Amino acid sequence: MQEKLSCPECRSVIAPDQININMLLAKCSNCGLVFSFEDRAPAPPPKSDTAPTPPQAKDRGDVPMPPGIQAQALLSELNIQISWRNRVDGFLTLFTVVWNIFVIPFAVFAVISGELQVLLFLSLHLLVGVGFLYVLVSNLINKTLIQVTRRKLFIEHTPLPVPFRGNQEIDAQDIRQLYVEEYVASTTNGRPNLRYALHARLHSGKRLELMKGLKNPEEGLYVEQQIEQFLDIENQAEAKEI
């Protein structure tokens, strides 16, 4: 039961709007007495002598360079090149080839014979085939280029542009921590296809996705290790990292 504050002079109950919690003062509306109730205020909880535990450094050992990655560390910059070739999926390759083998001859026949209605019917199928073919070719020839200096971090995907994977430029001094997360990219027969993404946590608290689609966790962990070593960032554990 909550205790009510009363006036020490006339014993009248003090209205809530006549109580100043910050200054521990109250005014009686009945007799006009202004008094302190500091002696009646609850004592503050004792302060803990234990300081918050700082983030712990994480030592996973030296991550060796995975296949498909080249790295060169100089005094003034770090250059990393990642081939996309190991991202080529056997099922996607087979599906793309079979789909286009069936669709393209019909489209060519429709153009030669002037059957535009057939071509219109096949337009959606052609777009799907071209889309899968573009993804397959980009995985075969594309590379991710990472350049790190003391001032900037540049990430470029070349030579073919890929939607939702634009180039990035970040101030190196804004980076507080790098970490790798696992995610489900797709499913095959109900089984998840896992991929890995490299993220950065900035000093402002903002989190950025630097690159995704890595087939093996070692690729992301190696890139994380090289950048953190170059920028003298202590590797600390993150909540969702692998």
Side-chain angles (χ1 to χ4, degrees), residues 74-92:
L74 306 175
L75 292 177
S76 59
E77 67 181 41
L78 168 68
N79 295 291
I80 302 175
Q81 178 178 291
I82 306 171
S83 173
W84 291 20
R85 192 174 292 267
N86 67 343
R87 303 183 190 183
V88 177
D89 183 86
F91 175 79
L92 175 64

Side-chain angles (χ1 to χ4, degrees), residues 105-118:
F106 283 100
V108 172
F109 174 78
V111 172
I112 294 176
S113 62
E115 297 288 342
L116 299 182
Q117 291 182 345
V118 176

